[in-house]
Amino acid sequence: EDDEDGSGSSSSSSGNEWQKALQVFDGMAGSKLESNTISVNAVISACQKGGQWKTALRMLNEMAQSRVESNTVSFSAMVSACEEDGAWEAAVQIVQDMVRSKVDPSTITLSAAIGACERGNNWEQGLSLFSMMEQMSVEADA
């Protein structure tokens, strides 16, 4: 066995972290603790690492509904989650939402969105995002 935890899968521990993070976050709702940008970003990040982009998207939407401020980290983790699955439509929508929210997409965000387009076999949209990157003067990774 190559895994560290003996479970037969090297990604099993990171694959379940999103569920644990979601349980902790949901538990906050029943207590006097309020969610904030950091706590929601942690759940979105855990979902991204667990390949759960739809759950991450739900968390991002809940941020807006709860009036918890989303930031570049929130959006970048969400777009990275979409990249993992080739969910290019969602990735592009999130980049557009960022711009509308006056949150500047980072190189990481735009690169992940371009990667989602690549995985989703939509090179035209990927080129469009690359063009956006150039217009916004975001430095592309070489």
Side-chain angles (χ1 to χ4, degrees):
E1 285 178 295
D2 295 334
D3 60 318
E4 294 178 16
D5 64 0
S7 66
S9 171
S10 59
S11 64
S12 66
S13 63
S14 63
N16 293 339
E17 294 302 314
W18 70 273
Q19 293 171 320
K20 293 175 187 171
L22 197 56
Q23 286 174 344
V24 169
F25 183 81
D26 287 343
M28 289 175 66
S31 70
K32 294 181 181 181
L33 296 173
E34 287 188 33
S35 61
N36 61 22
T37 304
I38 295 169
S39 61
V40 179
N41 284 352
V43 176
I44 291 172
S45 237
C47 289
Q48 179 256 320
K49 290 178 180 125
Q52 301 296 316
W53 72 270
K54 290 180 181 178
T55 304
L57 184 58
R58 183 173 60 88
M59 294 303 301
L60 190 66
N61 290 333
E62 284 182 21
M63 282 180 94
Q65 292 171 359
S66 304
R67 300 190 198 282
V68 174
E69 185 178 335
S70 51
N71 60 18
T72 303
V73 174
S74 316
F75 289 112
S76 292
M78 184 60 239
V79 173
S80 292
C82 292
E83 177 187 20
E84 298 286 323
D85 200 41
W88 67 269
E89 297 101 334
V92 169
Q93 183 63 52
I94 293 159
V95 169
Q96 291 169 348
D97 290 348
M98 287 181 80
V99 173
R100 265 194 299 281
S101 301
K102 298 186 181 357
V103 177
D104 291 331
S106 68
T107 302
I108 293 168
T109 308
L110 290 172
S111 295
I114 291 168
C117 291
E118 177 186 0
R119 285 184 181 222
N121 294 318
N122 191 329
W123 61 268
E124 295 95 343
Q125 189 63 53
L127 286 175
S128 175
L129 287 168
F130 188 77
S131 177
M132 173 194 257
M133 188 185 286
E134 288 180 326
Q135 291 171 4
M136 297 179 74
S137 301
V138 175
E139 190 174 311
D141 292 337

